[in-house]
Amino acid sequence: MKPAARSRPNKRPQWERGYYSHGYWSGKNKLGTVKLGPKGEWDGVYRWQGGNHVGESATLALAKQAVEQAVLLGTRQLQLFQDEGG
């Protein structure tokens, strides 16, 4: 009888708060960010980037949700052009 293989726990991506931005991390891989403008010049808009998608939101919660959806879409969608090393 073969011993049961150990499975690694499935790590979920986590938000990490920074000074002027929030990062969405999975282990050591940065999946997305939500950024603010400079301290004295902030216009009240949260700018986000997740994978190849970028946008702006009025609230931090909406910006984080947009990043999470963009990352989820990028992981579930097949690549149109795959780099074959050539």
Side-chain angles (χ1 to χ4, degrees), residues 2-45:
K2 207 177 205 184
R6 288 188 180 184
S7 63
R8 287 189 227 165
N10 223 0
K11 290 193 176 185
R12 298 182 66 176
Q14 300 287 323
W15 282 101
E16 185 175 308
R17 194 171 98 187
Y19 193 62
Y20 285 113
S21 68
H22 293 255
Y24 195 50
W25 294 85
S26 177
K28 293 185 179 182
N29 298 325
K30 190 174 195 177
L31 303 175
T33 58
V34 175
K35 295 183 179 181
L36 306 174
K39 186 175 183 179
E41 304 170 18
W42 187 52
D43 56 358
V45 177

Side-chain angles (χ1 to χ4, degrees), residues 15 20-23 32-38 41-50 53-60 62-64 66-67:
W15 282 101
Y20 285 113
S21 68
H22 293 255
T33 58
V34 175
K35 295 183 179 181
L36 306 174
E41 304 170 18
W42 187 52
D43 56 358
V45 177
Y46 294 89
R47 289 165 180 83
W48 60 266
Q49 177 181 5
H53 304 283
V54 295
E56 297 179 345
S57 295
T59 66
L60 180 60
L62 289 174
K64 285 183 174 182
V67 170

